[in-house]
Amino acid sequence: MSVRFFLILSLLLASCSSLPEIRPSADAGSACPSPFVVQKTRFIHTIEAAVAGETRSVMIGVTVADPASRTLSCALMSPEGMVFFEASRTPSGTNINRALPPFDAAEVARGMLDDIELIFLKPPEEIDRAGVGDTGRTVCRRRLRDGGWLDVGKDRDGGVHIQRYTEGGRLRRSVALAAGANPYAALELQASEWTGYSLSMKLIELETVPDEIRSGK
């Protein structure tokens, strides 16, 4: 009986979801925000992870994002330096080098890399629609090739938001980035799943990474 109830509830929630309205605006297309990395960069953040609103762990995250090759590498470690997750992603696939529980579950590792890609790499799809949302935020919307929609919006105070929706309009991920010259100085990610979780990230260090020079030997 309980299983049937949750199935019905999920169908009702899905049927009630819809994408937020975007009102046309002549200036929106030229003002589309793009907080994403523009050159190969290494980030070090402190990360507070919370499940169901309760802080579970504090970690150090190291991310290298390269928009030219669309590659990512990341490591998560304890404040004492113990590495419990290390992985990389390229257009050809994902490689997990180290994964201790709970990151050893395939869906957890994949979700972690999906979140990192959402935060740091500009989506390859073209903008489908641009305008102004209900709150006055400038919003630029893309239809994603693997299904669903991605909105990137900018508030009047300069704060940038990235929001990913399902095909039917249910919000799956929401990222709030800092206003100012460096949007990655502080950010909040909210994941809307059956068990929701959030990541609060504060920047410790940032540096650009020069491309390797190959000798041609």
Side-chain angles (χ1 to χ4, degrees), residues 123-156:
E125 294 85 358
E126 296 295 327
I127 292 169
D128 181 76
R129 186 182 308 172
V132 178
D134 292 340
T135 62
R137 178 185 300 165
T138 298
V139 180
C140 298
R141 176 170 292 166
R142 294 172 171 87
R143 184 174 192 129
L144 301 176
R145 295 172 187 169
D146 59 351
W149 304 84
L150 186 75
D151 285 1
V152 182
K154 188 172 185 179
D155 293 329
R156 292 171 182 172

Side-chain angles (χ1 to χ4, degrees), residues 154-170:
K154 188 172 185 179
D155 293 329
R156 292 171 182 172
D157 65 359
V160 177
H161 299 260
I162 304 169
Q163 294 173 305
R164 177 159 186 171
Y165 297 88
T166 65
E167 191 70 23
R170 181 176 65 84

Side-chain angles (χ1 to χ4, degrees), residues 2-215:
S2 59
V3 173
R4 180 179 299 177
F5 171 79
F6 282 115
L7 286 173
I8 294 172
L9 178 61
S10 64
L11 289 173
L12 287 173
L13 290 173
S15 65
C16 293
S17 300
S18 61
L19 284 170
E21 182 183 358
I22 299 177
R23 300 189 306 275
S25 171
D27 300 328
S30 60
C32 283
S34 185
F36 306 101
V37 175
V38 296
Q39 57 185 324
K40 190 175 182 180
T41 307
R42 179 186 293 113
F43 299 87
I44 303 178
H45 286 90
T46 59
I47 304 173
E48 288 188 2
V51 179
E54 181 179 343
T55 300
R56 297 292 182 90
S57 59
V58 177
M59 304 171 283
I60 304 296
V62 181
T63 303
V64 179
D66 185 357
S69 60
R70 295 198 65 80
T71 60
L72 295 165
S73 63
C74 66
L76 295 176
M77 63 190 73
S78 70
E80 296 75 27
M82 177 182 175
V83 178
F84 41 80
F85 182 73
E86 186 176 2
S88 60
R89 173 176 286 180
T90 70
S92 59
T94 297
N95 183 42
I96 308 295
N97 299 318
R98 181 176 176 83
L100 301 182
F103 299 99
D104 55 338
E107 63 274 12
V108 174
R110 183 174 61 252
M112 179 66 66
L113 287 164
D114 287 346
D115 288 344
I116 293 171
E117 184 173 345
L118 176 71
I119 293 169
F120 292 102
L121 292 185
K122 180 179 179 181
E125 294 85 358
E126 296 295 327
I127 292 169
D128 181 76
R129 186 182 308 172
V132 178
D134 292 340
T135 62
R137 178 185 300 165
T138 298
V139 180
C140 298
R141 176 170 292 166
R142 294 172 171 87
R143 184 174 192 129
L144 301 176
R145 295 172 187 169
D146 59 351
W149 304 84
L150 186 75
D151 285 1
V152 182
K154 188 172 185 179
D155 293 329
R156 292 171 182 172
D157 65 359
V160 177
H161 299 260
I162 304 169
Q163 294 173 305
R164 177 159 186 171
Y165 297 88
T166 65
E167 191 70 23
R170 181 176 65 84
L171 181 63
R172 292 188 58 216
R173 294 290 189 279
S174 180
V175 182
L177 297 102
N182 183 7
Y184 295 110
L187 63 96
E188 301 275 346
L189 179 142
Q190 296 284 338
S192 301
E193 307 287 355
W194 281 110
T195 302
Y197 65 88
S198 64
L199 303 177
S200 178
M201 302 171 61
K202 293 184 179 179
L203 186 66
I204 300 174
E205 183 179 314
L206 175 155
E207 65 173 342
T208 56
V209 180
D211 292 328
E212 294 182 0
I213 300 175
R214 300 180 182 237
S215 63

